[in-house]
Coordinates of all heavy atoms in Angstrom, one line a residue:
M1 N -26.9 7.2 18.9 CA -26.2 7.5 17.6 C -25.2 6.4 17.3 O -24.5 6.0 18.1 CB -25.5 8.9 17.8 CG -24.7 9.2 16.6 SD -23.8 10.8 16.8 CE -25.1 12.0 17.0
S2 N -25.3 6.0 16.1 CA -24.4 4.9 15.7 C -23.0 5.5 15.5 O -22.8 6.7 15.3 CB -24.8 4.3 14.4 OG -24.6 5.1 13.3
R3 N -22.0 4.6 15.6 CA -20.6 5.0 15.5 C -20.3 5.6 14.1 O -19.6 6.5 14.0 CB -19.7 3.9 15.8 CG -18.3 4.3 16.0 CD -17.5 3.2 16.5 NE -16.3 3.8 17.1 CZ -15.3 3.1 17.6 NH1 -15.4 1.8 17.6 NH2 -14.3 3.7 18.0
A4 N -21.0 5.1 13.1 CA -20.8 5.6 11.7 C -21.2 7.0 11.5 O -20.7 7.7 10.7 CB -21.5 4.7 10.7
H5 N -22.2 7.5 12.4 CA -22.7 8.9 12.3 C -21.9 9.8 13.2 O -22.2 11.0 13.1 CB -24.2 8.9 12.6 CG -25.0 8.2 11.5 ND1 -25.5 6.9 11.7 CD2 -25.4 8.6 10.3 CE1 -26.2 6.6 10.6 NE2 -26.1 7.6 9.8
R6 N -21.1 9.3 14.0 CA -20.4 10.2 14.9 C -19.3 10.9 14.1 O -18.5 10.3 13.4 CB -19.7 9.4 16.0 CG -19.0 10.2 17.1 CD -18.5 9.4 18.2 NE -19.6 8.9 19.0 CZ -19.4 8.1 20.0 NH1 -18.2 7.6 20.2 NH2 -20.4 7.6 20.6
T7 N -19.3 12.2 14.3 CA -18.3 13.1 13.5 C -17.0 13.1 14.2 O -16.0 13.3 13.5 CB -18.9 14.5 13.2 OG1 -19.1 15.1 14.5 CG2 -20.1 14.4 12.4
K8 N -17.0 13.1 15.5 CA -15.7 13.2 16.2 C -15.7 12.2 17.4 O -16.7 12.2 18.1 CB -15.6 14.6 16.7 CG -14.4 15.0 17.5 CD -14.4 16.4 18.0 CE -13.5 16.5 19.2 NZ -13.8 17.7 19.9
A9 N -14.6 11.6 17.6 CA -14.5 10.7 18.8 C -14.5 11.6 20.0 O -13.9 12.7 20.0 CB -13.3 9.9 18.7
P10 N -15.1 11.1 21.1 CA -15.0 11.9 22.4 C -13.6 11.9 22.9 O -12.8 11.0 22.6 CB -15.9 11.0 23.3 CG -15.9 9.7 22.8 CD -15.7 9.8 21.3
E11 N -13.3 13.0 23.5 CA -12.0 13.2 24.2 C -12.0 12.4 25.4 O -12.9 12.4 26.2 CB -11.7 14.7 24.4 CG -11.5 15.5 23.1 CD -11.2 16.9 23.4 OE1 -10.8 17.3 24.5 OE2 -11.4 17.7 22.4
I12 N -10.8 11.7 25.7 CA -10.7 10.8 26.8 C -9.6 11.3 27.7 O -8.6 11.8 27.3 CB -10.4 9.4 26.3 CG1 -11.5 8.9 25.4 CG2 -10.1 8.5 27.5 CD1 -11.1 7.6 24.7
S13 N -9.9 11.3 29.0 CA -8.9 11.5 30.0 C -8.6 10.2 30.7 O -9.4 9.5 31.2 CB -9.5 12.5 31.1 OG -9.7 13.8 30.5
I14 N -7.3 9.8 30.6 CA -6.8 8.6 31.3 C -6.2 9.0 32.6 O -5.3 9.9 32.7 CB -5.8 7.9 30.4 CG1 -6.4 7.5 29.1 CG2 -5.2 6.7 31.1 CD1 -5.4 6.9 28.1
V15 N -6.7 8.5 33.7 CA -6.3 8.8 35.0 C -5.7 7.6 35.7 O -6.3 6.5 35.7 CB -7.5 9.3 35.9 CG1 -7.1 9.6 37.3 CG2 -8.1 10.6 35.3
I16 N -4.4 7.8 36.1 CA -3.7 6.6 36.7 C -3.2 7.1 38.1 O -2.3 7.8 38.2 CB -2.5 6.2 35.9 CG1 -2.9 5.9 34.4 CG2 -1.8 5.0 36.5 CD1 -1.8 5.6 33.5
P17 N -3.9 6.6 39.2 CA -3.4 6.8 40.5 C -2.4 5.8 40.8 O -2.7 4.6 40.7 CB -4.7 6.7 41.4 CG -5.5 5.7 40.6 CD -5.2 5.9 39.2
T18 N -1.2 6.2 41.3 CA -0.2 5.2 41.5 C 0.4 5.4 42.9 O 0.5 6.6 43.4 CB 0.9 5.2 40.5 OG1 1.8 4.1 40.7 CG2 1.6 6.5 40.4
G19 N 0.9 4.4 43.5 CA 1.6 4.5 44.8 C 3.1 4.3 44.5 O 3.6 4.8 43.4
D20 N 3.8 3.8 45.3 CA 5.3 3.6 45.1 C 5.5 2.3 44.4 O 6.0 1.3 45.0 CB 6.0 3.7 46.5 CG 7.5 3.7 46.4 OD1 8.0 4.1 45.2 OD2 8.1 3.5 47.3
R21 N 5.0 2.2 43.2 CA 5.1 0.9 42.4 C 5.7 1.2 41.0 O 4.9 1.1 40.0 CB 3.7 0.3 42.3 CG 3.2 -0.1 43.7 CD 1.8 -0.8 43.6 NE 0.9 0.0 42.9 CZ 0.0 0.8 43.5 NH1 0.0 0.9 44.8 NH2 -0.9 1.6 42.8
A22 N 6.9 1.6 40.9 CA 7.4 2.0 39.6 C 7.4 0.9 38.6 O 7.1 1.2 37.4 CB 8.9 2.5 39.8
D23 N 7.6 -0.3 39.0 CA 7.6 -1.4 38.0 C 6.2 -1.7 37.4 O 6.1 -1.9 36.3 CB 8.1 -2.7 38.7 CG 9.6 -2.7 38.9 OD1 10.3 -1.9 38.3 OD2 10.1 -3.5 39.8
Q24 N 5.2 -1.6 38.3 CA 3.8 -1.8 37.8 C 3.4 -0.6 36.9 O 2.7 -0.8 35.9 CB 2.9 -2.0 39.0 CG 3.0 -3.3 39.7 CD 4.0 -3.3 40.8 OE1 4.9 -2.4 40.9 NE2 3.9 -4.2 41.7
L25 N 3.8 0.6 37.3 CA 3.5 1.8 36.5 C 4.2 1.7 35.1 O 3.6 2.0 34.1 CB 3.9 3.0 37.2 CG 3.6 4.3 36.5 CD1 2.2 4.5 36.2 CD2 4.2 5.5 37.2
R26 N 5.4 1.2 35.1 CA 6.1 1.0 33.8 C 5.4 0.1 32.9 O 5.2 0.3 31.7 CB 7.5 0.4 34.1 CG 8.3 0.1 32.8 CD 9.7 -0.4 33.2 NE 10.5 0.5 33.9 CZ 11.1 1.6 33.3 NH1 11.0 1.8 32.0 NH2 11.8 2.4 34.0
A27 N 4.9 -1.1 33.5 CA 4.1 -2.0 32.7 C 2.8 -1.4 32.2 O 2.4 -1.6 31.0 CB 3.8 -3.3 33.5
C28 N 2.1 -0.7 33.0 CA 0.9 0.0 32.6 C 1.1 1.0 31.5 O 0.4 1.0 30.5 CB 0.3 0.7 33.8 SG -1.2 1.7 33.5
L29 N 2.1 1.9 31.6 CA 2.4 2.9 30.6 C 2.9 2.2 29.3 O 2.6 2.7 28.2 CB 3.4 3.9 31.1 CG 2.9 4.8 32.3 CD1 4.0 5.7 32.8 CD2 1.7 5.6 31.9
A30 N 3.7 1.2 29.4 CA 4.2 0.5 28.2 C 3.0 -0.2 27.5 O 3.0 -0.1 26.2 CB 5.2 -0.6 28.6
S31 N 2.1 -0.7 28.2 CA 0.9 -1.3 27.6 C 0.1 -0.2 26.8 O -0.4 -0.4 25.7 CB 0.0 -1.9 28.6 OG -1.2 -2.4 28.1
L32 N -0.1 0.9 27.4 CA -0.8 2.0 26.7 C 0.0 2.5 25.4 O -0.6 2.8 24.4 CB -0.9 3.2 27.6 CG -2.0 3.1 28.7 CD1 -1.9 4.2 29.7 CD2 -3.4 2.9 28.1
A33 N 1.3 2.5 25.5 CA 2.1 3.0 24.4 C 2.1 2.1 23.2 O 2.3 2.6 22.1 CB 3.6 3.1 24.9
I34 N 1.7 0.8 23.3 CA 1.7 -0.1 22.1 C 0.3 -0.2 21.5 O 0.1 -1.1 20.7 CB 2.3 -1.4 22.5 CG1 1.5 -2.1 23.6 CG2 3.8 -1.3 22.9 CD1 1.8 -3.6 23.8
Q35 N -0.6 0.6 21.9 CA -2.0 0.5 21.4 C -1.8 0.8 19.9 O -1.2 1.8 19.5 CB -2.9 1.5 22.1 CG -3.2 1.1 23.5 CD -3.7 -0.3 23.8 OE1 -4.7 -0.7 23.1 NE2 -3.0 -1.0 24.6
T36 N -2.5 0.0 19.0 CA -2.4 0.2 17.6 C -3.2 1.4 17.1 O -2.9 2.0 16.1 CB -2.9 -1.0 16.8 OG1 -4.2 -1.4 17.2 CG2 -1.9 -2.2 17.2
D37 N -4.3 1.8 17.8 CA -5.1 2.9 17.3 C -5.5 3.7 18.5 O -6.6 3.8 18.9 CB -6.4 2.3 16.6 CG -7.2 3.4 16.0 OD1 -6.6 4.5 15.7 OD2 -8.4 3.2 15.7
P38 N -4.5 4.4 19.1 CA -4.8 5.2 20.4 C -5.7 6.3 20.1 O -5.6 7.0 19.1 CB -3.4 5.6 20.8 CG -2.6 5.7 19.5 CD -3.1 4.6 18.7
P39 N -6.6 6.5 21.0 CA -7.5 7.7 20.9 C -6.8 9.0 21.2 O -5.7 9.0 21.9 CB -8.6 7.4 21.9 CG -7.9 6.6 23.0 CD -6.9 5.8 22.2
T40 N -7.4 10.1 20.8 CA -6.9 11.3 21.3 C -7.2 11.5 22.8 O -8.4 11.3 23.2 CB -7.6 12.5 20.5 OG1 -7.3 12.3 19.1 CG2 -7.1 13.8 21.0
C41 N -6.3 11.7 23.6 CA -6.5 11.7 25.0 C -5.5 12.6 25.8 O -4.4 12.9 25.2 CB -6.5 10.3 25.6 SG -5.0 9.4 25.5
E42 N -5.9 12.8 27.0 CA -4.9 13.4 27.9 C -4.7 12.4 29.0 O -5.5 11.5 29.2 CB -5.5 14.7 28.6 CG -6.6 14.5 29.5 CD -7.0 15.7 30.3 OE1 -6.3 16.7 30.4 OE2 -8.2 15.7 30.8
M43 N -3.5 12.4 29.6 CA -3.1 11.5 30.6 C -2.8 12.2 31.9 O -2.0 13.2 31.8 CB -2.0 10.6 30.2 CG -1.6 9.5 31.2 SD -0.2 8.4 30.7 CE -0.9 7.8 29.2
L44 N -3.4 11.9 33.0 CA -3.1 12.5 34.3 C -2.6 11.4 35.2 O -3.3 10.3 35.3 CB -4.3 13.2 34.8 CG -4.9 14.3 33.9 CD1 -6.0 13.8 33.1 CD2 -5.2 15.5 34.8
I45 N -1.6 11.6 35.9 CA -1.0 10.6 36.8 C -0.9 11.2 38.2 O -0.2 12.3 38.3 CB 0.3 10.0 36.4 CG1 0.2 9.4 35.0 CG2 0.9 9.0 37.4 CD1 1.5 9.0 34.3
C46 N -1.4 10.6 39.2 CA -1.3 11.1 40.6 C -0.4 10.1 41.3 O -0.6 8.9 41.4 CB -2.6 11.1 41.3 SG -2.6 11.9 42.9
A47 N 0.8 10.6 41.7 CA 1.9 9.8 42.2 C 2.6 10.4 43.4 O 2.6 11.6 43.5 CB 2.9 9.5 41.1
P48 N 3.2 9.6 44.2 CA 4.1 10.1 45.2 C 5.3 10.7 44.6 O 5.7 10.3 43.5 CB 4.4 8.9 46.1 CG 4.3 7.8 45.1 CD 3.2 8.1 44.2
P49 N 5.9 11.7 45.2 CA 7.1 12.3 44.7 C 8.4 11.5 44.8 O 9.4 12.1 45.3 CB 7.2 13.7 45.4 CG 6.6 13.3 46.8 CD 5.6 12.3 46.5
H50 N 8.4 10.3 44.4 CA 9.6 9.4 44.5 C 10.3 9.5 43.2 O 9.7 9.4 42.1 CB 9.2 8.0 44.9 CG 8.6 7.8 46.2 ND1 7.4 7.1 46.4 CD2 8.9 8.4 47.4 CE1 7.1 7.2 47.7 NE2 8.0 8.0 48.3
A51 N 11.6 9.5 43.2 CA 12.4 9.7 42.0 C 12.2 8.6 41.0 O 12.1 8.8 39.8 CB 13.9 9.8 42.4
D52 N 12.1 7.3 41.5 CA 11.9 6.2 40.6 C 10.6 6.2 39.9 O 10.5 6.0 38.7 CB 12.2 4.8 41.2 CG 11.3 4.6 42.4 OD1 10.7 5.6 43.0 OD2 11.1 3.4 42.9
T53 N 9.6 6.6 40.5 CA 8.2 6.7 39.9 C 8.2 7.9 38.9 O 7.8 7.7 37.8 CB 7.1 7.0 41.0 OG1 7.2 5.9 41.9 CG2 5.8 7.1 40.4
L54 N 8.7 9.0 39.3 CA 8.8 10.1 38.3 C 9.7 9.8 37.1 O 9.4 10.3 36.0 CB 9.2 11.4 39.1 CG 8.3 11.8 40.2 CD1 8.9 13.0 41.0 CD2 6.9 12.1 39.7
A55 N 10.8 9.1 37.3 CA 11.6 8.7 36.2 C 10.9 7.9 35.2 O 11.0 8.1 34.0 CB 12.8 8.0 36.7
V56 N 10.0 7.0 35.6 CA 9.2 6.1 34.7 C 8.3 7.0 34.0 O 8.1 6.8 32.7 CB 8.5 5.0 35.5 CG1 7.4 4.3 34.7 CG2 9.4 4.0 36.1
I57 N 7.6 8.0 34.6 CA 6.7 8.8 33.9 C 7.5 9.7 32.9 O 7.0 9.8 31.8 CB 6.0 9.7 34.9 CG1 5.1 8.9 35.9 CG2 5.1 10.8 34.2 CD1 4.6 9.7 37.1
D58 N 8.6 10.2 33.2 CA 9.4 11.0 32.3 C 9.8 10.2 31.1 O 9.8 10.7 30.0 CB 10.6 11.6 33.0 CG 10.4 12.7 33.9 OD1 9.3 13.3 33.8 OD2 11.2 13.0 34.7
E59 N 10.1 8.9 31.3 CA 10.6 8.1 30.2 C 9.4 7.6 29.3 O 9.5 7.7 28.1 CB 11.2 6.8 30.8 CG 11.6 5.8 29.7 CD 12.1 4.5 30.4 OE1 12.4 4.4 31.6 OE2 12.2 3.5 29.6
L60 N 8.3 7.2 29.8 CA 7.2 6.6 29.1 C 6.0 7.4 28.8 O 5.2 7.1 28.0 CB 6.8 5.3 29.7 CG 7.9 4.2 29.8 CD1 7.4 3.0 30.6 CD2 8.3 3.7 28.4
A61 N 5.9 8.5 29.6 CA 4.7 9.4 29.4 C 5.1 10.8 29.7 O 4.5 11.5 30.5 CB 3.6 8.9 30.3
P62 N 6.0 11.4 28.9 CA 6.5 12.8 29.2 C 5.4 13.8 28.9 O 5.5 14.9 29.4 CB 7.6 12.9 28.2 CG 7.4 11.9 27.1 CD 6.7 10.8 27.8
H63 N 4.3 13.4 28.2 CA 3.2 14.3 27.9 C 2.2 14.3 29.0 O 1.3 15.2 29.0 CB 2.5 13.9 26.6 CG 2.0 12.4 26.7 ND1 2.9 11.4 26.6 CD2 0.8 12.0 27.0 CE1 2.2 10.3 26.7 NE2 0.9 10.6 26.9
A64 N 2.3 13.4 30.0 CA 1.3 13.3 31.1 C 1.4 14.5 32.0 O 2.5 15.0 32.3 CB 1.5 12.0 31.8
R65 N 0.2 14.9 32.5 CA 0.2 15.9 33.6 C 0.4 15.1 34.9 O -0.3 14.1 35.1 CB -1.1 16.7 33.7 CG -1.1 17.7 32.6 CD -2.2 18.7 32.8 NE -3.5 18.1 32.6 CZ -4.6 18.6 33.1 NH1 -4.6 19.7 33.8 NH2 -5.8 18.0 32.9
V66 N 1.3 15.5 35.8 CA 1.5 14.7 37.0 C 1.2 15.6 38.2 O 1.5 16.8 38.3 CB 3.0 14.4 37.1 CG1 3.3 13.6 38.4 CG2 3.4 13.5 35.9
V67 N 0.4 15.0 39.1 CA 0.1 15.6 40.4 C 0.8 14.8 41.4 O 0.5 13.6 41.5 CB -1.5 15.6 40.6 CG1 -1.8 16.2 42.0 CG2 -2.1 16.5 39.6
T68 N 1.6 15.4 42.2 CA 2.3 14.6 43.3 C 1.5 14.7 44.6 O 1.0 15.7 44.9 CB 3.7 15.1 43.5 OG1 3.7 16.5 43.8 CG2 4.6 14.8 42.3
M69 N 1.4 13.6 45.2 CA 0.7 13.4 46.5 C 1.4 12.5 47.4 O 1.5 11.3 47.0 CB -0.7 12.9 46.2 CG -1.7 12.9 47.3 SD -3.3 12.4 46.7 CE -4.1 12.0 48.2
P70 N 2.1 13.0 48.4 CA 3.0 12.1 49.2 C 2.4 10.9 49.8 O 2.9 9.8 49.7 CB 3.4 13.1 50.3 CG 3.2 14.4 49.8 CD 2.1 14.3 48.9
K71 N 1.2 11.0 50.3 CA 0.5 9.8 50.9 C -0.9 9.8 50.5 O -1.5 10.8 50.1 CB 0.6 9.9 52.4 CG 2.0 9.8 53.0 CD 2.0 9.7 54.4 CE 3.4 9.6 54.9 NZ 3.5 9.4 56.3
G72 N -1.5 8.6 50.5 CA -2.9 8.5 50.2 C -3.2 7.2 49.5 O -2.3 6.5 49.0
S73 N -4.5 6.8 49.5 CA -5.0 5.6 48.9 C -5.2 5.9 47.4 O -5.2 7.0 46.9 CB -6.3 5.2 49.5 OG -7.3 6.1 49.3
A74 N -5.5 4.8 46.6 CA -5.9 5.0 45.2 C -7.1 5.8 45.1 O -7.2 6.7 44.2 CB -6.1 3.6 44.6
V75 N -8.1 5.6 46.0 CA -9.3 6.4 45.9 C -9.0 7.9 46.2 O -9.5 8.8 45.5 CB -10.3 5.9 47.0 CG1 -11.5 6.8 47.1 CG2 -10.8 4.5 46.6
G76 N -8.2 8.2 47.2 CA -7.8 9.6 47.5 C -7.1 10.2 46.3 O -7.3 11.4 46.0
R77 N -6.2 9.4 45.6 CA -5.5 9.9 44.5 C -6.5 10.2 43.3 O -6.4 11.2 42.6 CB -4.4 9.0 44.0 CG -3.3 8.9 45.1 CD -2.2 7.9 44.6 NE -1.3 7.5 45.7 CZ -0.4 8.3 46.2 NH1 -0.1 9.5 45.7 NH2 0.4 7.8 47.2
R78 N -7.4 9.3 43.1 CA -8.4 9.6 42.1 C -9.2 10.8 42.3 O -9.4 11.7 41.5 CB -9.4 8.4 42.0 CG -8.9 7.2 41.3 CD -10.0 6.1 41.1 NE -9.4 4.8 40.9 CZ -9.2 3.8 41.8 NH1 -9.6 4.0 43.0 NH2 -8.6 2.7 41.5
N79 N -9.7 11.0 43.6 CA -10.4 12.2 44.0 C -9.6 13.4 43.8 O -10.1 14.5 43.5 CB -11.0 12.0 45.4 CG -12.1 11.0 45.5 OD1 -12.7 10.7 44.5 ND2 -12.3 10.5 46.7
A80 N -8.3 13.4 44.1 CA -7.5 14.6 44.0 C -7.3 15.0 42.5 O -7.2 16.2 42.3 CB -6.1 14.3 44.6
I81 N -7.3 14.1 41.6 CA -7.0 14.4 40.2 C -8.3 14.6 39.4 O -8.2 15.3 38.3 CB -6.1 13.4 39.6 CG1 -5.2 14.0 38.5 CG2 -6.9 12.2 39.1 CD1 -4.0 13.2 38.1
L82 N -9.4 14.1 39.8 CA -10.6 14.2 39.0 C -11.0 15.6 38.7 O -11.4 15.8 37.5 CB -11.7 13.5 39.7 CG -13.0 13.3 38.9 CD1 -12.7 12.5 37.6 CD2 -14.1 12.5 39.7
P83 N -10.9 16.6 39.5 CA -11.2 18.0 39.1 C -10.4 18.6 38.0 O -10.7 19.5 37.4 CB -11.0 18.8 40.4 CG -11.1 17.8 41.5 CD -10.5 16.5 40.9
L84 N -9.3 17.9 37.6 CA -8.4 18.4 36.7 C -8.6 17.9 35.2 O -8.1 18.4 34.3 CB -6.9 18.1 37.0 CG -6.5 18.6 38.4 CD1 -5.1 18.2 38.7 CD2 -6.6 20.1 38.5
V85 N -9.5 16.9 35.1 CA -9.7 16.2 33.8 C -10.5 17.2 32.9 O -11.3 18.0 33.4 CB -10.4 14.9 33.9 CG1 -9.6 13.9 34.8 CG2 -11.8 15.0 34.4
T86 N -10.2 17.1 31.6 CA -10.9 17.9 30.6 C -11.7 17.1 29.6 O -12.5 17.6 28.8 CB -9.9 18.8 29.9 OG1 -9.0 18.0 29.2 CG2 -9.2 19.7 30.8
G87 N -11.5 15.7 29.6 CA -12.1 14.9 28.6 C -13.6 14.7 28.9 O -14.1 14.8 30.0
E88 N -14.3 14.3 27.8 CA -15.7 13.9 27.9 C -15.9 12.6 28.7 O -16.9 12.4 29.4 CB -16.4 13.8 26.6 CG -16.4 15.1 25.8 CD -16.8 14.9 24.3 OE1 -18.0 14.4 24.2 OE2 -16.0 15.0 23.4
L89 N -14.9 11.7 28.5 CA -14.9 10.4 29.2 C -13.7 10.3 30.0 O -12.6 10.8 29.7 CB -14.9 9.3 28.1 CG -16.1 9.2 27.2 CD1 -15.9 8.1 26.1 CD2 -17.4 9.0 27.9
V90 N -13.8 9.6 31.2 CA -12.7 9.4 32.1 C -12.5 7.9 32.2 O -13.4 7.2 32.5 CB -12.9 10.0 33.4 CG1 -11.8 9.8 34.4 CG2 -13.2 11.5 33.3
L91 N -11.3 7.5 31.9 CA -10.8 6.1 32.1 C -9.9 6.0 33.2 O -8.8 6.7 33.2 CB -10.1 5.6 30.8 CG -9.4 4.3 30.9 CD1 -10.4 3.2 31.1 CD2 -8.6 4.0 29.6
F92 N -10.3 5.3 34.3 CA -9.4 5.1 35.4 C -8.6 3.8 35.2 O -9.2 2.7 35.0 CB -10.2 5.0 36.7 CG -10.8 6.3 37.2 CD1 -12.1 6.6 37.0 CD2 -10.0 7.3 37.8 CE1 -12.7 7.8 37.5 CE2 -10.5 8.5 38.2 CZ -11.9 8.7 38.0
L93 N -7.3 3.9 35.3 CA -6.5 2.7 35.2 C -5.7 2.6 36.5 O -5.2 3.6 37.0 CB -5.5 2.8 34.1 CG -6.1 2.7 32.7 CD1 -4.9 2.9 31.6 CD2 -6.8 1.4 32.4
D94 N -5.5 1.4 37.0 CA -4.7 1.1 38.1 C -3.4 0.5 37.6 O -3.4 -0.3 36.7 CB -5.3 0.2 39.2 CG -6.5 0.9 39.9 OD1 -6.4 2.1 40.1 OD2 -7.5 0.2 40.2
D95 N -2.3 0.8 38.2 CA -1.1 0.2 37.9 C -1.0 -1.1 38.7 O -0.6 -2.0 38.5 CB 0.1 1.1 38.1 CG 0.3 1.5 39.5 OD1 -0.5 1.1 40.4 OD2 1.3 2.2 39.9

């Protein structure tokens, strides 16, 4: 189906697994915030329960759903959050 015939854009779930990297997460979220034509989406972030990481999320993505996971790899974080997505498409971003 051509884009011109599509009546509704697909819903997107943006999934960001992060470790203890508040500065990199800040850059990632800031980049998303300046998109000129952002799609309708939900954002899910799987992060350790560190105050600096959670503060960045509160500041730049207060609408995001956050799943805290004390330890684990990026793959483990992706797998933990994937069952929670509701979008038709899933976009995985790494910070």
Side-chain angles (χ1 to χ4, degrees):
M1 174 185 296
S2 74
R3 191 169 200 184
H5 291 101
R6 186 178 286 173
T7 58
K8 179 183 159 199
E11 293 181 15
I12 299 172
S13 295
I14 299 174
V15 174
I16 305 171
T18 186
D20 190 16
R21 297 182 301 266
D23 289 339
Q24 289 89 340
L25 181 60
R26 176 180 297 284
C28 178
L29 294 176
S31 176
L32 287 172
I34 62 171
Q35 297 303 307
T36 57
D37 189 17
T40 301
C41 63
E42 69 172 342
M43 184 179 300
L44 299 99
I45 301 172
C46 189
H50 298 133
D52 55 343
T53 302
L54 297 176
V56 168
I57 296 168
D58 286 343
E59 176 188 344
L60 296 173
H63 58 282
R65 286 195 291 160
V66 179
V67 174
T68 57
M69 186 173 165
K71 295 185 180 186
S73 66
V75 171
R77 293 180 195 284
R78 283 186 199 101
N79 289 337
I81 211 164
L82 192 56
L84 304 176
V85 302
T86 62
E88 296 172 62
L89 300 174
V90 178
L91 171 64
F92 288 104
L93 292 179
D94 288 326
D95 61 358

